[in-house]
Amino acid sequence: MRWGLVVVLTAAYPLLVYLGLGRFEPRWLALLLAALAVVRALASPRRDPFWWWAAAAAALLAAATALINQAMPLKVYPVVVNLGLLLLFGASLRHPPTVVERIARLTEPDLDASGVRYTRRVTQVWCSFFVLNGSLALFTACWGDDKLWALYNGLVAYVLMGGLMGGEWLVRRKVRAAQGTMP
């Protein structure tokens, strides 16, 4: 329940910032970013170090926002999240098992060699997604207005992510059916 609330608040971050910018100085919204990052790190399953690194990055952005009282560091947060995920997924390509393989092994512990190759390819696809998504988030932060930034980072990016997840699920079903491994 607590983790679910944190996930919802994190997903709503762009909307909260967008609504807050018209009512509060950016330095006060920085408190939201810092608090959300710390709560997310505390609530993460097994107190995952990734979330502590994310909290540290959020704290730096919050401090920059408080110092200059400008919205830009708040708007760069989605870029930092994509960069962090790119580093996490990319590092797992160099030091297997990949992130996607670890997730796959939760439901299929005896993943065969073709499954490992497939999960590696999916990890590469996610790395490409994080590059593209982070680039678009940066573009909206630097050159878009607040409305475009909120629309892309608070809706479009999630739709694209869901589309990638759904598309991968369909491809996986097709691959498994072709291999005769579907029930």
Side-chain angles (χ1 to χ4, degrees), residues 13 17 26-42 51-52 54-66 73-74 77:
Y13 172 81
V17 169
R27 68 173 39 109
W28 296 112
L29 294 174
L31 294 174
L32 167 70
L33 174 58
L36 183 59
V38 169
V39 168
R40 187 177 49 212
L42 288 170
W51 293 111
W52 287 105
L60 286 173
L61 290 173
T65 302
L74 294 173
Y77 182 64

Side-chain angles (χ1 to χ4, degrees), residues 61-84:
L61 290 173
T65 302
L67 184 66
I68 65 173
N69 200 27
Q70 297 291 319
M72 184 55 73
L74 294 173
K75 292 168 74 175
V76 170
Y77 182 64
V79 178
V80 172
V81 169
N82 278 278
L83 180 59

